[in-house]
């Protein structure tokens, strides 16, 4: 615990893996154009209108990916308070987490485009602005295949495997000029930085950032902070890099006792 340099000695706490900061959190339901109900959550800053809106597209559910995958869960726990952003996350069709199971069946990134479209419509219905997509693994392919649409400002990709998306999808991003950043772990299981540079060369505006010592799953607090610092540098470039400390009320998440309760609601 650190002491802030002022006479009142406000205690500043270093965040840890289960730190949950204050936010207005709401369990939501998205309805897709083919009639499916998807479970999700919207987390908003308490005291300010969001400066940006992050739509989070999770890893492959066949490998355990879901809206609560750790990079995304920690974003919802921390970023509304630290960065004044809204965080919208959901389970794609057929995906289950502590929040519940979304209807439908997994479709290898194809019909998941309808899930993303439903999330975008929800964001617009709430008058959320400056919308950015953040995909992770499988979620990056869904982003590349279906996310190059208005009002999306741009996208940040964590560990893109380029497994379901193809050159034609990349070409649409090149044609639109929409902002695109790929954060590629040095030790990734699917796509390492040299190959990523070659394949993303189709998109002139795409910035490929190699992340030393990192693996596909971004395990460890060090890599969580790198991921979101890099993402926020593109999404909110006017904002200083986060210190990952907090000087107010804070909860600690416990999977055994909290279940799917919306800790840190306000």
């Amino acid at each position: 615990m650190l002491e802030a340099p002022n006479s009142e000695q406000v205690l500043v706490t270093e965040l840890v893996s289960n730190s949950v900061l204050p936010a207005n959190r709401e369990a939501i339901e998205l309805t897709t154009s083919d009639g499916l109900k998807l479970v999700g959550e919207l987390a908003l800053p308490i005291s300010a209108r969001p400066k940006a809106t992050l739509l989070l597209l999770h890893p492959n559910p066949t490998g355990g990916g879901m809206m609560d995958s750790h990079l995304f869960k920690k974003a919802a726990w921390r970023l509304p308070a630290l960065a004044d952003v809204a965080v919208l996350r959901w389970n794609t069709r057929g995906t289950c987490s502590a929040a519940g199971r979304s209807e439908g069946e997994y479709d290898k990134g194809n019909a998941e485009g309808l899930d993303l479209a439903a999330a975008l419509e929800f964001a617009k219905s709430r008058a959320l602005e400056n919308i950015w997509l953040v995909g992770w693994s499988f979620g990056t392919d869904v982003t590349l295949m279906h996310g190059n649409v208005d009002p999306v400002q741009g996208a940040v990709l964590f560990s893109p495997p380029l497994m379901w998306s193809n050159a034609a999808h990349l070409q649409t991003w090149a044609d639109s000029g929409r902002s695109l950043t790929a954060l590629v772990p040095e030790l990734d299981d699917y796509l390492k930085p040299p190959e990523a540079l070659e394949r993303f060369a189709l998109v002139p505006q795409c910035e490929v950032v190699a992340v030393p010592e990192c693996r596909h799953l971004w395990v460890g607090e060090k890599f969580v902070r790198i991921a979101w610092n890099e993402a926020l540098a593109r999404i909110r470039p006017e904002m200083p890099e986060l210190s990952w400390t907090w000087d107010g009320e804070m909860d600690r998440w416990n999977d055994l006792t909290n279940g799917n309760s919306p800790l840190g609601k306000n």
Side-chain angles (χ1 to χ4, degrees):
M1 189 171 291
L2 308 173
E3 290 187 0
N6 62 53
S7 59
E8 296 182 4
Q9 293 189 332
V10 176
L11 294 180
V12 179
T13 303
E14 181 90 8
L15 300 186
V16 295
S17 62
N18 64 342
S19 298
V20 183
L21 304 184
N24 289 321
R25 296 185 172 88
E26 175 188 356
I28 63 165
E29 183 178 84
L30 305 176
T31 302
T32 66
S33 61
D34 58 346
L36 299 182
K37 306 295 185 184
L38 312 178
V39 299
E41 182 198 74
L42 175 64
L44 297 170
I46 286 179
S47 59
R49 181 165 180 78
K51 301 292 193 305
T53 303
L54 313 186
L55 272 58
L56 308 186
L57 293 95
H58 63 69
N60 199 328
T62 64
M66 56 181 170
M67 62 181 273
D68 283 334
S69 292
H70 81 100
L71 278 179
F72 288 176
K73 178 168 62 176
K74 290 167 185 172
W77 286 352
R78 304 176 186 183
L79 297 187
L82 293 177
D84 286 333
V85 297
V87 177
L88 176 59
R89 57 193 175 119
W90 65 95
N91 283 331
T92 56
R93 55 190 59 215
T95 301
C96 183
S97 73
R101 185 185 187 279
S102 291
E103 295 177 350
E105 297 181 358
Y106 170 71
D107 194 38
K108 299 181 180 179
N110 295 304
E112 283 83 0
L114 301 180
D115 305 346
L116 172 55
L120 284 168
E121 287 302 315
F122 177 88
K124 289 189 289 185
S125 75
R126 294 295 183 92
L128 296 172
E129 300 176 343
N130 193 16
I131 294 173
W132 287 73
L133 307 183
V134 182
W136 181 10
S137 192
F138 168 75
T140 70
D141 281 302
V142 177
T143 297
L144 292 170
M145 294 164 71
H146 307 288
N148 188 24
V149 296
D150 292 331
V152 173
Q153 300 299 301
V156 178
L157 313 177
F158 297 155
S159 304
L162 295 179
M163 190 174 297
W164 293 271
S165 57
N166 57 41
H169 298 120
L170 292 176
Q171 188 60 52
T172 67
W173 285 82
D175 293 343
S176 73
R178 191 171 268 112
S179 178
L180 188 65
T181 301
L183 303 181
V184 184
E186 177 188 20
L187 305 176
D188 198 273
D189 300 304
Y190 303 101
L191 187 73
K192 291 181 171 61
E195 185 184 359
L197 283 167
E198 291 181 9
R199 297 185 66 182
F200 279 107
L202 285 172
V203 187
Q205 76 274 19
C206 181
E207 183 182 5
V208 176
V209 179
V211 183
E213 302 178 357
C214 186
R215 296 183 181 275
H216 189 76
L217 297 180
W218 300 78
V219 174
E221 182 66 21
K222 169 185 174 180
F223 295 112
V224 172
R225 296 182 183 189
I226 289 172
W228 288 113
N229 280 337
E230 291 285 354
L232 289 168
R234 280 79 186 170
I235 295 166
R236 290 208 55 204
E238 77 285 1
M239 186 182 71
E241 184 171 288
L242 297 181
S243 66
W244 302 100
T245 59
W246 186 248
D247 61 1
E249 293 184 3
M250 178 173 61
D251 288 308
R252 296 289 177 87
W253 183 267
N254 184 314
D255 285 333
L256 295 178
T257 59
N258 294 133
N260 63 351
S261 65
L263 238 186
K265 191 169 184 179
N266 51 48

